[in-house]
Amino acid sequence: MTTSVDDVTTQAAVSAIVAAHRGQRGPLLPIVHAIQAEWGHVPQEVIPLLAQELNLSRADVHGVISFYDDFRREPTGRTTVRICRGEACQAVGAGALLTCARDRTGLSPGETRADGSVTVDQVFCLGNCALGPTVEVNGEMLGRMDADRLRSVLDEAVAS
């Protein structure tokens, strides 16, 4: 994954990603997913490039990126911890997990530690309701989460 974004590299990468998806119907979402996979977030400077490549307005592109919570406009930490706040998880302790994460890291949902070690976020359903409360760590679902396990996950993320 490329970590820096410069104009020439960005333009070439965006053009290649767009070309790979150009034949698809409604290609903007898969393109934005591919961009996020490349850089770990959707850099602000790609919005006008996408608009030009896809013959869309900048507002259209920005609207899609800002509408979906899964698209990040800033880089995430090396470890991303997403706490489910859906009703089923909330009923079995997700609120306490969010408080635990805030106490352990000093982060509110959507924030990343200055050292880049961890991002804590909330999501309003991970689809793992029967095993709530659920936390997703770097894409891996961890059901029946409790405060002790979450503290361990967070401590490991900060230490790495």
Side-chain angles (χ1 to χ4, degrees), residues 49-109:
L49 298 173
L50 285 177
Q52 181 179 6
E53 289 271 352
L54 296 171
N55 196 28
L56 297 169
S57 72
R58 290 179 185 193
D60 287 338
V61 175
H62 174 76
V64 166
I65 294 167
S66 62
F67 178 78
Y68 293 101
D69 287 336
D70 281 347
F71 294 134
R72 306 275 313 179
R73 286 171 271 181
E74 299 293 327
T76 59
R78 291 181 298 281
T79 300
T80 301
V81 176
R82 297 182 350 144
I83 300 169
C84 182
R85 300 288 308 277
E87 286 107 11
C89 287
Q90 196 66 15
V92 291
L97 293 179
L98 194 61
T99 299
C100 172
R102 188 177 299 124
D103 291 347
R104 199 63 163 197
T105 63
L107 300 173
S108 291

Side-chain angles (χ1 to χ4, degrees), residues 75-78 105-107 111-120 158:
T76 59
R78 291 181 298 281
T105 63
L107 300 173
E111 294 181 339
T112 301
R113 280 180 54 113
D115 65 4
S117 61
V118 65
T119 297
V120 172
V158 171

Side-chain angles (χ1 to χ4, degrees), residues 16 24 29 36 50 56 105 108 123 139 143 147 150:
Q24 294 179 348
L29 280 175
Q36 183 158 288
L50 285 177
L56 297 169
T105 63
S108 291
V123 61
L150 182 58

